[in-house]
Amino acid sequence: MEVRLLKKPSSSKAGNELTELELLKLVRSGNPSGARKLYERYVGYLTAVCSRYVVDRDVVKDILQEAFIKIFNGLDSFEYRGEGSIKAWATRIVVNDSLKSLKASSKLVFTDQFPDEPDEELPSLPNISASAIQEMIKALPDGYRTVFNLYVFEKKSHKEIASMLGIKEDSSASQFFRARAQLAKNVKAYIKEHEQ
Amino acid sequence: MSSKKDWTDQLPELLEGFSEAEPEGLWDAVRSGMEPQKKRRVVPVWWWYVGGAAAAAAAVIAVLLLRSSSPSAPEILAPVPGTPSVIADMDESSTEVVSEDVFVPQTVPARHKTEPVTEESVIEPIEQPVSDDNVQEEIVPEDVAPEETVPAVIIPQDTVPEEEPVPQKDEEDTPPPVIPHIGTEPVTPPVTTPATTPATTPAKPRHIIKPRVQVMFAFSPSSSRGVSTSVTGVGIPSSPGMATKATGAGADAFMLSRNKTTTTEATHRQASRVSFGLKVDLDEHWGVETGVVSSSLESQFNTTGGSIASETTRTMDYIGIPLYGCYNVFQWKKLGLSLNAGPMYEFSVGTNTNTESFAGNRRTDQSHDDTTVDDDKWSVNAGAALQYKLNKHGSLFVQPGVSYYFKDSAPVETIYTEQPAAFNLFFGYKYQF
């Protein structure tokens, strides 16, 4: 039996924040404040997502501009599937546009030659702020960062990542492990620095 | 298998609500990017193709009509005894007097009405085969014979008055009617030529072909069964037809869990078609046909891998411009049979992809994509149309036919690529002008 994941539309959340369904209806009704509200709801999150892939701030702006235009144009035909579905859909658009931009700029270089260093490991994620970890991810090389983001945040398999980026599956795996090791090293250094 | 938690698994949760300051001026850029799209009326590229093809088809038909209609006599003519008559042969650019009679429209009382002699009232002998449908009777005196003809009367066109009185039988000194010059011979001053043979015997009917134009509307249903292929591999991207532009960068296809061996079954169905055509008969048997054909192709991709599955349905719309040669085999009472064959050029005008992902019985994701795939096709087609005439103008027809699509570097798999040779069946209605 097929179980649909549609959630019942709930009334407004605590406070005055509209639900996604209410936002969607507002935008579709042609209310000029609807698009602005939707934009304000997600622009910060989507900027963070895009910045994890693309470092250049001007390029981030271009990508987000195109992405929001796609989002607003696509809302009429968007099939609402419960709270969070607009956010997930908008995130996919931003990620896809970011990948396109990276490929187009030819900055995406994947090397299989890595420095001969011992892999750093972390038993668990220490108490570290989101902004700190975000900055560390942004500091990774383009190839590492892209594979790491797709694997960790978009839940793609290495097979899928390889297909999306036009690389070998093994390359995707090695890029990820190198990224993970470098990030662990940086996290350790950050913790050490802030303990002192 | 161990389910060891990695520290990176905590990152999505940590950054779930994380926001960064938006780039400066982003909202204004988004707004300005939206405005031109709303204001500007964008004409889809395929409309230009259709418009161009329609204009070209109209030009071809117009030329054919002009060429076919200009030499024929549109009116039924009757002789007026006692007056010299002239026949102009446009093709040979010569003018010949064939009897003493002037041909004037039969509905006009010839003896008492002034009637200008125009180009349309000049008769040209026709030697083409005739059929019952596209002929008009013309009266020609029986006693016209080549040896009875005399040199033409050639008069400059600008000297011809608007209306020339038709001479009365009892007006003995009335000059013969002035005939406008049609050919290309040098112009000479008016010369009156007496006829050598009186032509007062009854005339017999003669046939002249008129061009026929037919407008057709036809529908061909899609097949209920399609061509199926199956591919097994690791991960979804290896699935046939999925690694294409049609799937919107393929993002939705990657929603299944990692490193699972998956099997994808692709089913492509025969296109349903709607066509609107114009056919021009050049003579009794031969004709040309063109028009616009709209085809809709459906492909279904079902991927399974353990407890996960995805279903993708893709519909691609094409517009085709055919150019067929036609041959009318026979017309017997109300039944007729015609054959047609020729090339057709098709280009895609829209792609619609719907993907649903399942984990067990639970639907986990659904996406929709309207990205248009840039794809065009050449094919050759042939068909035999059996038609039943309902009345003077309308006919119903059924047309079984075959198509063959040439191999190309198509970016997507469709029934055209998987089964290039196909059978189709059209049902339609023709209106003949």
Side-chain angles (χ1 to χ4, degrees):
Chain A
M1 186 181 70
E2 180 182 331
V3 180
R4 307 190 78 186
L5 285 181
L6 286 174
K7 292 178 184 173
K8 283 186 181 176
S10 58
S11 56
S12 297
K13 291 177 181 175
N16 290 325
E17 193 176 49
L18 298 174
T19 63
E20 279 197 339
L21 186 58
E22 288 166 339
L23 262 178
L24 186 61
K25 285 178 179 172
L26 197 63
V27 175
R28 285 178 175 170
S29 71
N31 189 321
S33 69
R36 179 73 194 194
K37 280 188 162 68
L38 187 82
Y39 171 84
E40 286 173 349
R41 169 79 68 88
Y42 297 120
V43 66
Y45 173 73
L46 294 176
T47 303
V49 170
C50 189
S51 300
R52 280 206 293 270
Y53 288 88
V54 180
V55 178
D56 189 317
R57 195 72 175 164
D58 290 335
V59 181
V60 168
K61 183 182 174 184
D62 291 342
I63 292 168
L64 288 174
Q65 181 192 354
E66 289 299 314
F68 270 108
I69 289 171
K70 284 181 187 173
I71 290 164
F72 289 135
N73 286 336
L75 277 176
D76 278 342
S77 57
F78 175 75
E79 188 176 345
Y80 179 74
R81 299 195 48 76
E83 190 68 22
S85 57
I86 293 180
K87 185 181 181 184
W89 171 63
T91 305
R92 280 210 301 272
I93 291 174
V94 169
V95 170
N96 284 336
D97 285 1
S98 301
L99 291 178
K100 280 182 196 168
S101 172
L102 282 169
K103 287 178 185 173
S105 67
S106 306
K107 283 185 177 176
L108 215 48
V109 179
F110 301 94
T111 177
D112 287 333
Q113 295 180 346
F114 303 102
D116 192 16
E117 292 176 0
D119 287 345
E120 294 282 350
E121 274 297 341
L122 284 175
S124 65
L125 190 65
N127 190 15
I128 189 170
S129 68
S131 59
I133 203 80
Q134 170 90 354
E135 290 306 314
M136 287 178 207
I137 293 170
K138 286 162 74 173
L140 292 171
D142 289 332
Y144 286 11
R145 191 176 65 243
T146 305
V147 171
F148 186 85
N149 284 328
L150 287 172
Y151 189 88
V152 171
F153 295 101
E154 314 308 326
K155 309 293 184 191
K156 306 297 183 196
S157 69
H158 287 304
K159 177 79 177 173
E160 291 164 345
I161 294 168
S163 176
M164 292 170 85
L165 301 178
I167 58 177
K168 291 178 183 174
E169 193 177 347
D170 291 346
S171 297
S172 174
S174 57
Q175 297 283 326
F176 169 73
F177 286 114
R178 289 291 166 183
R180 185 171 164 275
Q182 187 165 330
L183 198 58
K185 184 180 171 185
N186 293 344
V187 169
K188 280 182 179 176
Y190 178 86
I191 297 295
K192 192 176 177 181
E193 185 183 330
H194 283 75
E195 280 175 352
Q196 290 174 350
Chain B
M1 186 181 288
S2 68
S3 57
K4 186 183 173 184
K5 268 256 179 187
D6 190 84
W7 64 271
T8 57
D9 292 339
Q10 298 170 261
L11 290 175
E13 193 180 344
L14 179 64
L15 293 176
E16 174 61 30
F18 181 71
S19 295
E20 278 192 15
E22 64 180 275
E24 197 176 340
L26 177 59
W27 172 247
D28 291 336
V30 171
R31 211 172 47 178
S32 63
M34 294 285 292
E35 281 171 356
Q37 288 193 356
K38 282 185 178 174
K39 288 178 181 174
R40 194 176 61 217
R41 180 179 171 80
V42 178
V43 179
V45 174
W46 62 272
W47 269 113
W48 292 107
Y49 285 110
V50 172
V60 169
I61 289 167
V63 169
L64 291 171
L65 282 175
L66 283 173
R67 288 192 59 182
S68 303
S69 62
S70 53
S72 64
E75 290 182 288
I76 299 172
L77 305 173
V80 178
T83 313
S85 175
V86 175
I87 290 179
D89 185 332
M90 290 178 67
D91 290 336
E92 296 300 319
S93 300
S94 64
T95 310
E96 296 177 326
V97 175
V98 293
S99 84
E100 290 184 352
D101 297 330
V102 169
F103 290 88
V104 294
Q106 205 168 34
T107 53
V108 178
R111 293 172 181 241
H112 303 291
K113 170 130 179 142
T114 57
E115 178 67 28
V117 182
T118 65
E119 187 177 324
E120 286 149 353
S121 62
V122 179
I123 303 166
E124 176 201 353
I126 300 294
E127 294 178 1
Q128 290 173 313
V130 294
S131 68
D132 292 335
D133 292 330
N134 58 343
V135 297
Q136 218 174 35
E137 288 187 346
E138 174 197 337
I139 309 302
V140 176
E142 265 185 342
D143 55 352
V144 173
E147 61 271 19
E148 294 170 348
T149 59
V150 294
V153 178
I154 302 169
I155 298 169
Q157 198 159 9
D158 52 8
T159 63
V160 179
E162 280 293 312
E163 283 197 347
E164 186 70 22
V166 176
Q168 302 292 314
K169 191 176 182 180
D170 52 355
E171 293 173 2
E172 290 180 5
D173 295 326
T174 306
V178 180
I179 307 300
H181 172 67
I182 298 172
T184 56
E185 293 89 347
V187 174
T188 59
V191 176
T192 57
T193 308
T196 56
T197 308
T200 54
T201 53
K204 71 176 181 182
R206 199 170 66 172
H207 299 291
I208 291 179
I209 291 180
K210 283 175 65 183
R212 283 191 307 190
V213 177
Q214 296 175 13
V215 177
M216 294 166 289
F217 175 81
F219 174 73
S220 173
S222 65
S223 62
S224 55
R225 293 176 58 193
V227 180
S228 294
T229 56
S230 180
V231 172
T232 300
V234 178
I236 297 300
S238 60
S239 304
M242 299 296 288
T244 68
K245 288 182 274 182
T247 57
D252 295 331
F254 301 124
M255 295 303 292
L256 301 187
S257 62
R258 300 166 181 169
N259 295 323
K260 300 278 186 185
T261 299
T262 59
T263 301
T264 296
E265 282 189 13
T267 304
H268 306 286
R269 290 177 65 195
Q270 173 91 17
S272 61
R273 282 185 165 169
V274 176
S275 76
F276 180 78
L278 277 174
K279 180 183 173 189
V280 176
D281 285 336
L282 303 177
D283 62 20
E284 183 190 7
H285 288 297
W286 293 99
V288 290
E289 181 183 330
T290 184
V292 177
V293 179
S294 170
S295 306
S296 184
L297 278 61
E298 189 178 299
S299 298
Q300 180 107 24
F301 304 96
N302 293 328
T303 302
T304 54
S307 61
I308 56 171
S310 78
E311 291 178 8
T312 299
T313 304
R314 187 189 64 210
T315 306
M316 293 184 69
D317 297 318
Y318 287 81
I319 292 292
I321 311 293
L323 183 61
Y324 299 156
C326 306
Y327 184 79
N328 297 318
V329 181
F330 72 81
Q331 180 74 40
W332 180 72
K333 293 186 178 177
K334 290 189 171 185
L335 283 177
L337 177 68
S338 64
L339 308 175
N340 62 51
M344 180 162 72
Y345 172 73
E346 286 175 89
F347 53 93
S348 66
V349 292
T351 305
N352 185 300
T353 308
N354 284 302
T355 302
E356 288 182 299
S357 301
F358 300 92
N361 291 326
R362 194 185 61 180
R363 182 157 58 182
T364 56
D365 190 51
Q366 183 173 33
S367 61
H368 175 84
D369 187 25
D370 285 327
T371 308
T372 298
V373 179
D374 189 15
D375 186 29
D376 53 1
K377 300 282 179 197
W378 278 99
S379 63
V380 286
N381 301 267
L386 186 64
Q387 68 178 41
Y388 179 80
K389 204 165 185 176
L390 297 173
N391 49 44
K392 186 181 176 186
H393 294 293
S395 306
L396 288 176
F397 70 94
V398 57
Q399 180 181 306
V402 291
S403 304
Y404 182 82
Y405 283 83
F406 296 103
K407 284 185 178 177
D408 57 18
S409 55
V412 288
E413 287 181 7
T414 62
I415 188 74
Y416 291 162
T417 59
E418 299 307 295
Q419 190 182 59
F423 173 81
N424 47 56
L425 187 63
F426 275 100
F427 302 94
Y429 177 79
K430 284 182 186 175
Y431 185 88
Q432 178 181 308
F433 292 95

